[in-house]
Amino acid sequence: MDDNCLFCKIIAGDIPADKLYEDEDILAFHDINPEAPLHFLVIPKKHIIGPGYIDETDQEIIGKILRKGGELAKENGHESFRLVANNGAKAGQTVFHFHLHVMGGRPFSWPPG
Ligand code: AMP
Ligand code: ZN
């Protein structure tokens, strides 16, 4: 737990979130500012800063986040979806606690801007 981290506060229950899934390792909740009809985030309960800070002991949890992200997208009726994880401000990261964006329900261009 990082006392200054927004997502750690959501995990602790200090800030509310619209949750889709939770277990002992991970949490999925709807993005507060959705960029697609389906847009939720999947995060580890452990405070990992971002994709550039995954250590060997985190590999299983990151795999679980990917698996669960896809599973939840399909359960919510989306066979096509986009997964995004930003690392660093220049890549668009604004919350420095690892999060997988799961987005669906509209076309996505490639490459992303
Ligand atoms: P990123 O720019 O990749 O760091 O993504 C951070 C995401 O967190 C953005 O899409 C925000 O809309 C989202 N976000 C920020 N605050 C909250 C919150 N309190 N509840 C849910 N999503 C949030
Ligand atoms: Zn955190």
Side-chain angles (χ1 to χ4, degrees):
M1 166 107 192
D2 178 329
D3 289 343
N4 297 315
C5 172
L6 176 68
F7 288 173
C8 283
K9 287 179 184 161
I10 287 178
I11 291 160
D14 297 340
I15 291 177
D18 185 7
K19 295 178 186 176
L20 286 107
Y21 176 82
E22 181 166 20
D23 66 24
E24 67 276 18
D25 301 316
I26 68 172
L27 175 65
F29 54 98
H30 290 282
D31 197 292
I32 204 165
N33 183 25
E35 298 287 353
L38 177 78
H39 187 179
F40 64 88
L41 306 173
V42 193
I43 67 173
K45 289 196 168 174
K46 177 183 174 187
H47 181 80
I48 299 168
I49 296 171
Y53 297 84
I54 298 163
D55 68 35
E56 243 179 288
T57 61
D58 300 326
Q59 291 187 106
E60 203 170 314
I61 239 165
I62 298 299
K64 188 178 193 178
I65 285 171
L66 278 171
R67 179 175 65 75
K68 205 68 205 175
E71 198 176 286
L72 288 168
K74 291 202 280 183
E75 275 175 22
N76 283 275
H78 296 269
E79 278 298 324
S80 292
F81 50 85
R82 171 72 58 90
L83 304 180
V84 175
N86 298 320
N87 190 83
K90 282 186 189 162
Q93 188 176 12
T94 58
V95 179
F96 293 86
H97 179 128
F98 180 99
H99 48 283
L100 181 70
H101 292 263
V102 183
M103 290 178 282
R106 67 165 171 83
F108 294 94
S109 59
W110 189 262

